[in-house]
Amino acid sequence: MLSYHDTASVALLQSTQFGRQIEVPLSESPEGAQAVVELLASDVARWCRKVAAEPLPPAAVPGANDKERSQLAALGGLARAMAQRTGQENVSRTLPADVRSWLAEGPEPPLELTNRLLACIDATVDPLALIYEKIVAGHRRRQLGTFFTASSVMAYIKNVLASALQTAPSTVVDPGAGVGAFTTAALDWWPNARVHAVDVNLVTLGLLAVRPKNSITNTGKQSRLKIRQQDFLSWLGRRWPAEHRPRLILGNPPYTRHQQLSAALKKQAQEACADVAPGLRAGLSTYFLAAGLRSLGPQDSLCLLIPHNWLEADYGKSIRRYLWAAVNRRVELHIFSNQEGIFSGAQVGAMVVFVGPSVKKIEPMVIHHVGGNLTEGFTSVNSFPLARGSAPLSAFNMHTWSHKNGSRPRQKDTEVPLGEVVHIRRGVATGANHFFLRSLTDRQKLDSELTVRAISRLRDLNGNILDRKAHDDLSDSGISCWMLALEENSADTPAVASLLEEGIKEGIHERYLCKARSPWYVLEKIVPPDLLIGPMGKEGFRIVINSAGAIPTNTLYGMRMRRHDGTGADVNRLAEWLAGSSGQDALRMRARRHGDGLLKLEPGSLATVHVPRHVINS
């Protein structure tokens, strides 16, 4: 009997797999199972480093360095051993040539390591994905956009498809298949479907192919699993049209950012997407979405787990127009909470987009907000339908959805837009904060009227009131919080002339914003705002009362009351409401969600926040 005992496991689960009895080292608790698989992945990575195999060529796994490609080459031996132990000796016959070579040339691993991997293969935490993550650093996985999908996310997607997909697909394609979470699920969910795993990464394809759960597809006259070492956009144009219908595009496309896409690849992607092509700042997953939408036939569907940047970004306009106009297809957008990291090593806001087959009736677009976590699972905490058919929305966000849905109309007698209460503007754009913001020591060398109180970062401030004492505390701590307030003739002062000479030596006068000013050292004069707000945050937005009259830089927004009550109580009431739960909810509703989980407010969106009238009128 094969056995492996480890102190990290709380209990051993007896299992019969692969025709032999194995003691599977899986804990009864999720934390214990995670610990066991983590230990296994570390041991596999350590063995791969130790054997020092000849590195795979750079083109085989773009982004990985020489050491990582050496370890990935060794991993081919473990994949081969796993296939042999599970009776898949002939699996390589159906694989692409590069994948076959990877399996054949890898070194022989210890039997104990192979057995441990097989014993953990069905754990909640995918050991194959974790091994790959242990070998290739997160920032180097970004070139191929290789990030893996947790089982709890897969369970949520299964529920989405069970509810929305009325007919089982005959063909499923997994774009950017990785180690095969979606491929394996598709083989399990639809026993009669042919499943294509498409990826350019030979290592992840090889791991996918030898996964024991997929072994049943490699028996008989024709395998249901097709391993395709190809670019998905090329495969979609050449192979997709001939596949049996109904077809489904299902997967987690590569999260490759637009900066990492070559001009040639962007051109190819634009051509593949044709009239649905996004702007050139789109990442690879957005191109996959656009090309997938364009390729859908009347019976076909699409379900992709992707970043949600395209919902509001300018480059996503064409996709939003397509979805808004596709009124005969059911469209569902499932948006995960920004507070929950869905992918290890990637700070991206995630969503599931589902597009169903064409029907004869007009279908709604349904928006779901997804709550939960990776351990306990996910669920739709609230949802609402949007009727389409009118002009497309400028962006897909809570502001435009709420306006279209009519779920939160402005009540003229009880609410007023924030822009009618305050003047909103960005702070002063200096062009070089490190030069134009001076320390207390610097200020003491100048005439006092040549500087004004200023602030560029709210995180330096203790508390939410910036009065003179609080500003003096910042100044005394060494923070540069005095802004130069020079006039054209200030250069006649020796101390100023010396300071400006230092700036010229540093090239400050040639910077874009400085060069546009005449003279370059005279900054814009603005009225000090009553309130300050940080435009970005992960959970909310900080509100500060600016009783010191400090001038913000353009890293902050300032709000100045249009009408004062003379006591300051109106400023305090507005600040209290904005900082409270209702105000923060209203601000988040208007914010744009970025891929790294940040929320960002633009001045125009901030002006549309609805403020209860009782907050304005005492």
Side-chain angles (χ1 to χ4, degrees), residues 416-423 560-563 570 574 607 611 616:
V416 60
L418 181 60
E420 294 183 10
V421 180
V422 295
H423 295 279
R560 181 167 56 86
M561 302 295 293
R562 292 183 180 272
R563 291 174 296 277
D570 52 351
L574 180 58
V611 182
I616 310 306

Side-chain angles (χ1 to χ4, degrees), residues 497-556:
S498 175
L499 183 65
L500 297 181
E501 184 178 349
E502 292 177 11
I504 291 172
K505 287 181 180 180
E506 192 180 338
I508 301 296
H509 67 304
E510 292 293 336
R511 295 198 176 189
Y512 178 75
L513 291 178
C514 301
K515 195 173 183 179
R517 295 193 293 259
S518 181
W520 65 270
Y521 52 82
V522 177
L523 298 176
E524 174 187 19
K525 303 296 192 296
I526 69 170
V527 178
D530 298 303
L531 295 172
L532 302 170
I533 180 172
M536 302 188 76
K538 285 204 169 182
E539 296 182 359
F541 300 91
R542 191 169 177 188
I543 309 296
V544 170
I545 297 174
N546 182 28
S547 58
I551 302 298
T553 64
N554 66 340
T555 54
L556 302 172

Side-chain angles (χ1 to χ4, degrees), residues 396-437:
F396 286 179
N397 56 31
M398 282 307 301
H399 174 47
T400 56
W401 286 333
S402 296
H403 177 72
K404 178 66 183 177
N405 195 39
S407 60
R408 194 185 185 283
R410 174 188 168 190
Q411 301 296 328
K412 291 187 178 181
D413 58 337
T414 60
E415 294 181 336
V416 60
L418 181 60
E420 294 183 10
V421 180
V422 295
H423 295 279
I424 302 170
R425 61 154 296 158
R426 296 178 190 272
V428 174
T430 68
N433 281 355
H434 75 281
F435 178 81
F436 288 99
L437 293 182

Side-chain angles (χ1 to χ4, degrees), residues 133-147:
E133 289 178 347
K134 290 284 186 182
I135 292 176
V136 183
H139 65 280
R140 284 190 282 272
R141 295 202 305 275
R142 292 194 185 104
Q143 185 164 336
L144 284 182
T146 307
F147 297 97

Side-chain angles (χ1 to χ4, degrees), residues 98-121:
D98 289 346
V99 181
R100 292 201 304 269
S101 297
W102 174 72
L103 289 169
E105 296 171 7
E108 189 68 25
L111 177 62
E112 178 259 358
L113 204 59
T114 306
N115 290 340
R116 286 172 61 192
L117 177 56
L118 288 172
C120 290
I121 201 66

